[in-house]
Each structure stands twice: as structure tokens, then as C-alpha cells.
Amino acid sequence: MNERMNKLLQTAALGKDEGILIHKPSNMFYLSGYTGEGLIAAGHGFQAIITDFRYTEQAERQAPGFDVLMVEKGVSHAMLASELFAQHGVKCVRYEDDEVTVRSFEAIKEAIPGVEFASLKNAPETIRRIKDQHELDCIEEACNISCKAFDQLLGFIKPGMTEKQLQIKLEFLMLELGAEALAFNTIVASGVNGSLPHAIPSDKKVEMGEMITFDFGAKKGGYCADMTRTISLGQPSAEMKKIYDTVLYAQQTCEDMLAPGKVCKDIDTVARKIIDDAGYAGRFGHGLGHSVGIDIHEDPRLSQLCEDPLEVNQTITVEPGIYVPGLGGVRIEDTCAITENGGRTLVHAQKALLIL
Ligand code: GLY
Ligand code: MN
């Protein structure tokens, strides 16, 4: 059993007669290296990937050390898990109650009779909060690719291009520079569209005098980058400049606060106060940041709901924004790593307002 699976058994305090089912793709990848479909069934002294013909060889290659069991006509994933659990005397199955659908759960209960079911209580995600060196290296590499792509994109941005054209160019550059995939759907929001925090790139043309927000990230080694930059095409209005300066000040102040032991909620409070005091109360309606890893949004969160202290080797984004309908918006975001000495940004793109 590998180190991460051993840690999972410990973190979940798995009893001798308990088993685990993992359905969440990000948890399967973290625990085994396997990226295909299916599930993991495990317990003390056994670990198996249950999948179908399309993925059996892939599972054997990606997850040596795991048994690979193949479903076939009339033999479902849950039936194979049931046999495995029966062989190992499992009386209680711990499963991801935030992932398994009601319908799948009913099918699992039917196929695995005579056992109890209980929540795994996000034990894998608890372990995933602290990144090891390999994970940090992947995230840093993903950030480097994203920064390089953005740097190259800057030379292409011209008035009259559409948001979609800019999105496609940026995504192409990330893939060309070595991204294996995109971490999430790229956001490009120009002018008045900047007030939409998660704008979908449209056919709107970018024009002189507008700000453009780019929120994007590459994926490398299975790990995500997350960064946002807002630039100005020509001179911005005085109001947009004030919004930019406010967001930048909030962003840099909070990034400078990052350190082990700092309570997540308190950092979010500082950003919110800077933005409220500048006259934009209510215009920063999302949390200040989130951890990043295999998934783009992981715990902990820099938000009013998170009282956890930051810990060494966590990652965290710092991404304040101001959104004013009818006018536009600004967001600036770095992905950072928490070190013993404070925060270390993994994003090195310019944050001072860039006027093209
Ligand atoms: N980068 C998108 C988000 O954090 O929601
Ligand atoms: Mn983000």
C-alpha cells in the first residue's frame, strides 16, 4: 500500500472491518495516479481499481500496486467491490457522500448487502490540503506556463479583436508552451463585461479605453494554476483607474500578510475593509481566495466562512475584485505557496497597471 493510501487509512481512522470507496476523480488520481473512469475499493491489506475494458491497461500502468478488476456484462462495479469487501470481512463501507449520487448509492447498497455505510468525511481532501514538493513543483510549473503564455498574448492584443479570439489565443499559447490541459474555462471580460466575475468570453470586440480581465490557468502533471490580470487598452477612465489601484492595494496587502498561522477569515477581512473604505462596499461579492491543487478550488478558502489558520506547504490564491455593473470591473490574482517565512507567489506577471 502506498504512502498516500496508508495516510488515508490513518486520517479516516479506518477500523479493521471497514472499507473505503473512492469515486471522486481527483481523489482517485491523488491516491493512485490513475486518471481514468471507475472507482477505488480499499481497506486494510487491499486496494483495487475497478474499471472497464477501456481503462484496465491504463490503470495497470498508472497505478502499479493496485489490483485492477474489470467489470463486464452482468458484473457491475458495485458487485466487484462487494466481492472484495466480503473477502476481507468488511462490515462498514466509508464512501464520499459529497460525490456519490442518490441513484448510485441505491445501486451500491443493493449490490453490497449486509454492511453499513458511513461518510468518509472528506479524509482524502484533508490530506490534500498540504502539498508535497512534487505537487508544489507541478503547480509552480503550471503557473510559469500560464505567465509565459500571458506575456506572449500581450503582443497580440489589438482593438477590434473579440474576447473569444483572445481566449483562443491564450489557450493555444498555454498548450503550445507545455500545458497538458486547461485548469478551468478561461475568462476574458472587457469593458462593461468586467462586472461579471465569471464572464464567458463573447463576440464582443475589445475597444480603446477599456480594461480587459483575463482569468486563466494551465494544468501540468495533473495540477492547476490560477491567475488573473486586468490590463487597459489605452488610457482608462479616472474611475476605472481608482478601481484598479484599490484592487491592487488590497491584493498586495493581503498577499504580504500570508504566513503560517494567519487565520483565513482575517485576511479576507482586510481585503474587504480596503475595498469598502474606498467606496465600493458590496462590489466585492466573492471570497478572497482558495487553495489550488488537482482541483482548481480546494480548501482552505480565504473567506468569512473559514477560520482555519494557514499552514506551511498549502497553496492559496489572493484574488480581490471590484465589479460595477454598467461600468466594468477589475480582478488581480496570484497563486501563492505558504512557506515558513510567509507567502511565496508562484505568479510573476506584472501587477502594476499595464496600458497597451
Ligand atoms: N479562477 C476562477 C476562480 O477562481 O473562480
Ligand atoms: Mn481563483
Side-chain angles (χ1 to χ4, degrees), residues 267-326:
I267 306 173
D268 180 274
T269 299
V270 168
R272 228 155 279 285
K273 181 160 174 19
I274 290 170
I275 288 171
D276 289 0
D277 289 353
Y280 297 103
R283 306 265 52 100
F284 170 35
H286 56 75
L288 178 64
H290 54 89
S291 190
V292 178
I294 300 167
D295 291 318
I296 184 63
H297 296 134
E298 298 191 354
D299 288 334
R301 316 272 165 158
L302 293 183
S303 92
Q304 289 300 302
L305 300 175
C306 183
E307 309 222 351
D308 300 340
L310 289 173
E311 293 178 58
V312 171
N313 290 342
Q314 285 179 335
T315 59
I316 202 87
T317 69
V318 181
E319 52 176 307
I322 295 177
Y323 311 94
V324 183

Coordinates of all heavy atoms in Angstrom, one line a residue, residues 267-326:
I267 N -7.6 37.5 6.8 CA -7.0 38.0 5.6 C -8.1 38.5 4.7 O -8.0 39.6 4.1 CB -6.1 36.9 4.9 CG1 -5.1 36.4 5.9 CG2 -5.4 37.5 3.7 CD1 -4.3 35.2 5.4
D268 N -9.2 37.7 4.6 CA -10.3 38.2 3.8 C -10.9 39.5 4.3 O -11.3 40.4 3.5 CB -11.4 37.1 3.8 CG -12.6 37.4 3.0 OD1 -13.5 38.1 3.6 OD2 -12.7 37.1 1.8
T269 N -10.9 39.6 5.6 CA -11.5 40.8 6.2 C -10.7 42.1 5.8 O -11.3 43.1 5.6 CB -11.5 40.7 7.8 OG1 -12.3 39.6 8.1 CG2 -12.0 41.9 8.5
V270 N -9.4 41.9 5.8 CA -8.5 43.1 5.4 C -8.8 43.5 4.0 O -9.0 44.7 3.7 CB -7.0 42.7 5.6 CG1 -6.1 43.7 4.9 CG2 -6.7 42.5 7.0
A271 N -9.0 42.6 3.1 CA -9.3 43.0 1.7 C -10.6 43.7 1.6 O -10.8 44.7 0.9 CB -9.3 41.8 0.8
R272 N -11.6 43.1 2.3 CA -13.0 43.7 2.3 C -13.0 45.1 2.8 O -13.7 46.0 2.3 CB -13.9 42.7 3.1 CG -15.2 42.4 2.4 CD -15.7 41.1 2.9 NE -15.1 40.0 2.3 CZ -15.3 39.6 1.0 NH1 -16.2 40.2 0.2 NH2 -14.6 38.6 0.5
K273 N -12.2 45.3 3.9 CA -12.2 46.7 4.5 C -11.5 47.7 3.5 O -12.0 48.8 3.4 CB -11.4 46.6 5.8 CG -11.3 48.0 6.5 CD -11.0 47.9 8.0 CE -10.8 49.2 8.7 NZ -11.4 50.4 8.1
I274 N -10.4 47.3 2.9 CA -9.8 48.2 1.9 C -10.8 48.6 0.8 O -11.0 49.8 0.5 CB -8.5 47.6 1.3 CG1 -7.4 47.5 2.4 CG2 -8.0 48.4 0.1 CD1 -6.2 46.6 2.0
I275 N -11.5 47.6 0.3 CA -12.4 47.9 -0.8 C -13.7 48.7 -0.3 O -14.1 49.6 -1.0 CB -12.8 46.5 -1.4 CG1 -11.6 46.0 -2.2 CG2 -14.0 46.6 -2.3 CD1 -11.7 44.6 -2.8
D276 N -14.2 48.3 0.9 CA -15.3 49.1 1.4 C -14.9 50.5 1.7 O -15.7 51.4 1.3 CB -15.8 48.4 2.8 CG -16.5 47.1 2.5 OD1 -16.6 46.6 1.4 OD2 -16.9 46.5 3.6
D277 N -13.8 50.7 2.3 CA -13.3 52.1 2.6 C -13.1 53.0 1.4 O -13.2 54.2 1.5 CB -12.0 52.0 3.5 CG -12.3 51.5 4.9 OD1 -13.5 51.3 5.2 OD2 -11.3 51.3 5.6
A278 N -12.8 52.3 0.3 CA -12.6 53.1 -1.0 C -13.9 53.5 -1.6 O -13.9 54.1 -2.7 CB -11.7 52.3 -1.9
G279 N -15.0 53.0 -1.0 CA -16.3 53.4 -1.6 C -17.0 52.3 -2.4 O -18.0 52.6 -3.1
Y280 N -16.5 51.1 -2.3 CA -17.0 50.0 -3.1 C -17.6 48.9 -2.3 O -17.6 47.7 -2.7 CB -15.9 49.5 -4.1 CG -15.4 50.5 -5.0 CD1 -14.2 51.2 -4.8 CD2 -16.2 50.9 -6.1 CE1 -13.8 52.2 -5.7 CE2 -15.8 51.9 -7.0 CZ -14.6 52.6 -6.7 OH -14.2 53.6 -7.6
A281 N -18.2 49.3 -1.2 CA -18.9 48.2 -0.3 C -19.9 47.5 -1.2 O -20.7 48.1 -1.9 CB -19.6 48.9 0.9
G282 N -20.0 46.2 -1.0 CA -20.9 45.4 -1.8 C -20.5 45.1 -3.2 O -21.2 44.3 -3.9
R283 N -19.4 45.6 -3.7 CA -19.0 45.3 -5.0 C -17.9 44.3 -5.1 O -17.2 44.1 -6.1 CB -18.6 46.6 -5.7 CG -19.6 47.7 -5.7 CD -20.5 47.8 -6.9 NE -21.1 46.6 -7.3 CZ -22.4 46.2 -7.1 NH1 -23.2 47.0 -6.4 NH2 -22.8 45.1 -7.5
F284 N -17.6 43.6 -4.0 CA -16.6 42.5 -3.9 C -17.4 41.4 -3.3 O -17.2 41.1 -2.1 CB -15.4 43.0 -3.1 CG -14.4 41.9 -2.8 CD1 -14.1 40.8 -3.6 CD2 -13.7 41.9 -1.6 CE1 -13.2 39.8 -3.3 CE2 -12.8 40.9 -1.2 CZ -12.6 39.9 -2.1
G285 N -18.1 40.6 -4.1 CA -19.1 39.7 -3.6 C -18.6 38.2 -3.5 O -19.4 37.3 -3.3
H286 N -17.3 38.0 -3.7 CA -16.9 36.6 -3.5 C -15.7 36.6 -2.5 O -15.2 37.6 -2.1 CB -16.4 36.0 -4.9 CG -15.4 36.9 -5.6 ND1 -14.0 36.9 -5.2 CD2 -15.5 37.7 -6.7 CE1 -13.4 37.6 -6.1 NE2 -14.2 38.2 -6.9
G287 N -15.3 35.4 -2.2 CA -14.2 35.2 -1.2 C -12.9 35.7 -1.8 O -12.8 35.9 -3.0
L288 N -11.9 35.9 -0.9 CA -10.7 36.5 -1.4 C -9.8 35.5 -2.1 O -9.0 35.8 -2.9 CB -9.9 37.1 -0.2 CG -8.5 37.6 -0.4 CD1 -8.6 38.9 -1.4 CD2 -7.8 38.0 0.9
G289 N -10.0 34.2 -1.8 CA -9.2 33.2 -2.4 C -9.5 31.8 -2.0 O -10.4 31.5 -1.2
H290 N -8.7 30.9 -2.5 CA -8.9 29.4 -2.3 C -7.7 28.7 -2.6 O -6.8 29.2 -3.3 CB -10.0 28.9 -3.3 CG -9.7 29.2 -4.7 ND1 -9.0 28.4 -5.6 CD2 -10.0 30.3 -5.5 CE1 -8.8 29.0 -6.7 NE2 -9.4 30.1 -6.7
S291 N -7.6 27.5 -2.0 CA -6.4 26.7 -2.3 C -6.5 26.1 -3.7 O -7.6 26.1 -4.3 CB -6.2 25.6 -1.3 OG -5.0 24.9 -1.5
V292 N -5.4 25.7 -4.3 CA -5.4 25.2 -5.7 C -4.5 23.9 -5.7 O -3.5 23.8 -5.0 CB -4.6 26.2 -6.6 CG1 -4.5 25.6 -8.0 CG2 -5.3 27.5 -6.6
G293 N -5.0 22.9 -6.4 CA -4.2 21.7 -6.5 C -4.6 20.9 -7.7 O -4.6 21.4 -8.8
I294 N -5.0 19.6 -7.5 CA -5.5 18.8 -8.6 C -6.8 19.5 -9.1 O -7.1 19.5 -10.2 CB -5.8 17.4 -8.1 CG1 -4.5 16.7 -7.6 CG2 -6.5 16.5 -9.2 CD1 -4.7 15.4 -6.9
D295 N -7.6 20.0 -8.1 CA -8.8 20.7 -8.4 C -8.5 22.2 -8.4 O -7.6 22.6 -7.6 CB -10.0 20.4 -7.4 CG -10.5 19.0 -7.6 OD1 -10.7 18.6 -8.7 OD2 -10.7 18.4 -6.5
I296 N -9.2 23.0 -9.2 CA -9.0 24.4 -9.2 C -9.4 25.1 -7.9 O -8.8 26.1 -7.5 CB -9.6 25.1 -10.4 CG1 -9.3 26.6 -10.5 CG2 -11.1 24.9 -10.5 CD1 -7.8 26.8 -10.7
H297 N -10.4 24.6 -7.3 CA -10.9 25.2 -6.0 C -10.8 24.1 -4.9 O -11.5 23.1 -4.9 CB -12.3 25.6 -6.1 CG -12.5 26.8 -7.0 ND1 -13.6 26.8 -7.9 CD2 -11.8 27.9 -7.2 CE1 -13.5 27.9 -8.7 NE2 -12.4 28.6 -8.3
E298 N -9.8 24.3 -4.0 CA -9.7 23.4 -2.9 C -9.7 24.1 -1.6 O -9.7 25.4 -1.6 CB -8.3 22.6 -3.0 CG -8.2 21.8 -4.3 CD -7.0 20.8 -4.3 OE1 -6.2 20.9 -3.4 OE2 -6.9 20.1 -5.3
D299 N -9.7 23.4 -0.5 CA -9.7 24.0 0.9 C -8.2 24.1 1.3 O -7.4 23.3 0.9 CB -10.5 23.2 1.9 CG -12.0 23.3 1.6 OD1 -12.4 24.3 1.1 OD2 -12.7 22.4 2.0
P300 N -7.9 25.1 2.1 CA -8.8 26.1 2.7 C -9.2 27.3 1.8 O -8.6 27.4 0.7 CB -7.9 26.6 3.9 CG -6.5 26.6 3.4 CD -6.5 25.3 2.6
R301 N -10.1 28.1 2.2 CA -10.6 29.2 1.5 C -10.2 30.5 2.3 O -10.4 30.5 3.5 CB -12.1 29.2 1.3 CG -12.7 27.8 0.9 CD -12.7 27.7 -0.6 NE -12.9 26.2 -0.9 CZ -13.4 25.8 -2.1 NH1 -13.7 26.7 -3.0 NH2 -13.5 24.5 -2.3
L302 N -9.9 31.5 1.6 CA -9.7 32.8 2.2 C -11.1 33.4 2.1 O -11.5 34.1 1.1 CB -8.7 33.7 1.5 CG -7.3 33.3 1.6 CD1 -6.4 34.4 0.9 CD2 -6.8 33.1 3.0
S303 N -11.9 33.2 3.2 CA -13.3 33.7 3.2 C -13.8 33.9 4.6 O -13.2 33.4 5.5 CB -14.2 32.8 2.4 OG -14.8 31.9 3.3
Q304 N -14.9 34.6 4.7 CA -15.5 34.9 6.0 C -16.0 33.6 6.7 O -16.2 33.5 7.9 CB -16.7 35.8 5.9 CG -16.3 37.3 5.6 CD -15.4 37.9 6.6 OE1 -15.7 37.9 7.8 NE2 -14.2 38.3 6.2
L305 N -16.1 32.5 5.9 CA -16.5 31.2 6.5 C -15.4 30.3 7.0 O -15.7 29.2 7.5 CB -17.4 30.5 5.4 CG -18.6 31.2 4.9 CD1 -19.2 30.4 3.7 CD2 -19.6 31.4 6.0
C306 N -14.2 30.7 6.8 CA -13.1 29.8 7.1 C -12.2 30.3 8.2 O -11.5 31.4 8.0 CB -12.2 29.6 5.8 SG -10.9 28.4 6.0
E307 N -12.2 29.7 9.3 CA -11.5 30.1 10.5 C -10.2 29.4 10.6 O -9.5 29.4 11.7 CB -12.3 30.0 11.7 CG -13.7 30.7 11.5 CD -14.2 31.5 12.7 OE1 -13.6 31.4 13.8 OE2 -15.2 32.2 12.6
D308 N -9.8 28.6 9.6 CA -8.6 27.8 9.7 C -7.3 28.7 9.6 O -7.3 29.6 8.9 CB -8.5 26.7 8.6 CG -9.7 25.8 8.6 OD1 -10.3 25.7 9.7 OD2 -10.0 25.2 7.6
P309 N -6.3 28.3 10.4 CA -5.0 29.0 10.1 C -4.3 28.4 8.9 O -4.4 27.2 8.6 CB -4.2 28.7 11.4 CG -4.8 27.4 11.9 CD -6.2 27.3 11.4
L310 N -3.6 29.3 8.2 CA -2.8 28.8 7.0 C -1.7 27.9 7.6 O -1.2 28.1 8.7 CB -2.2 30.0 6.3 CG -3.2 30.8 5.4 CD1 -2.6 32.0 4.8 CD2 -3.8 29.9 4.3
E311 N -1.3 26.9 6.8 CA -0.2 26.0 7.2 C 0.9 26.0 6.1 O 0.6 26.2 4.9 CB -0.7 24.6 7.4 CG -1.6 24.5 8.6 CD -2.2 23.1 8.8 OE1 -1.4 22.2 8.9 OE2 -3.5 23.0 8.8
V312 N 2.1 25.6 6.5 CA 3.2 25.5 5.5 C 2.9 24.5 4.5 O 2.3 23.4 4.8 CB 4.5 25.1 6.3 CG1 5.6 24.8 5.3 CG2 5.0 26.3 7.2
N313 N 3.2 24.8 3.2 CA 3.0 23.9 2.1 C 1.5 23.8 1.7 O 1.2 22.9 1.0 CB 3.6 22.5 2.3 CG 5.1 22.6 2.3 OD1 5.7 23.5 1.8 ND2 5.8 21.5 2.8
Q314 N 0.7 24.8 2.1 CA -0.6 25.0 1.5 C -0.4 25.9 0.3 O 0.6 26.7 0.3 CB -1.6 25.5 2.4 CG -2.1 24.5 3.4 CD -3.1 25.1 4.4 OE1 -3.1 26.2 4.7 NE2 -3.9 24.2 5.0
T315 N -1.3 25.9 -0.7 CA -1.3 26.9 -1.7 C -2.6 27.7 -1.5 O -3.5 27.2 -0.9 CB -1.4 26.3 -3.1 OG1 -2.6 25.5 -3.2 CG2 -0.2 25.4 -3.4
I316 N -2.5 29.0 -1.9 CA -3.7 29.8 -1.8 C -3.7 30.9 -2.8 O -2.6 31.4 -3.1 CB -3.7 30.4 -0.3 CG1 -5.1 30.8 0.1 CG2 -2.7 31.5 -0.1 CD1 -6.0 29.7 0.7
T317 N -4.9 31.2 -3.4 CA -4.9 32.4 -4.3 C -5.3 33.6 -3.5 O -6.0 33.5 -2.5 CB -6.0 32.2 -5.4 OG1 -7.3 32.2 -4.9 CG2 -5.7 30.9 -6.2
V318 N -4.9 34.7 -4.0 CA -5.3 36.0 -3.4 C -5.9 36.8 -4.6 O -5.2 37.2 -5.5 CB -4.1 36.8 -2.8 CG1 -4.6 38.1 -2.1 CG2 -3.5 35.9 -1.7
E319 N -7.2 37.0 -4.6 CA -7.9 37.5 -5.8 C -9.1 38.4 -5.5 O -10.2 38.1 -5.8 CB -8.3 36.3 -6.7 CG -9.2 35.3 -6.0 CD -9.7 34.2 -7.0 OE1 -10.3 34.6 -8.0 OE2 -9.4 33.0 -6.8
P320 N -8.7 39.6 -4.9 CA -9.8 40.5 -4.7 C -10.3 41.1 -6.1 O -9.6 41.1 -7.0 CB -9.2 41.6 -3.9 CG -7.7 41.6 -4.3 CD -7.4 40.1 -4.6
G321 N -11.5 41.6 -6.1 CA -12.1 42.2 -7.3 C -13.1 43.3 -6.9 O -13.6 43.3 -5.8
I322 N -13.3 44.2 -7.8 CA -14.4 45.2 -7.7 C -15.2 45.1 -9.0 O -14.6 45.1 -10.1 CB -13.9 46.6 -7.5 CG1 -13.1 46.7 -6.1 CG2 -15.0 47.6 -7.5 CD1 -12.5 48.0 -5.8
Y323 N -16.5 45.0 -8.9 CA -17.4 44.7 -10.0 C -18.5 45.8 -10.0 O -19.3 45.8 -9.0 CB -18.0 43.3 -10.0 CG -16.9 42.3 -9.8 CD1 -16.6 41.8 -8.5 CD2 -16.1 41.8 -10.8 CE1 -15.6 40.9 -8.3 CE2 -15.1 40.9 -10.6 CZ -14.8 40.4 -9.3 OH -13.8 39.5 -9.1
V324 N -18.6 46.6 -11.0 CA -19.6 47.7 -11.0 C -20.4 47.5 -12.3 O -19.9 47.8 -13.4 CB -19.0 49.1 -10.9 CG1 -20.1 50.2 -10.9 CG2 -18.0 49.2 -9.7
P325 N -21.7 47.1 -12.2 CA -22.5 46.9 -13.4 C -22.6 48.2 -14.1 O -22.8 49.2 -13.6 CB -23.9 46.4 -12.8 CG -23.5 45.8 -11.5 CD -22.4 46.6 -10.9
G326 N -22.5 48.1 -15.5 CA -22.7 49.3 -16.3 C -21.3 50.0 -16.5 O -21.2 50.8 -17.4

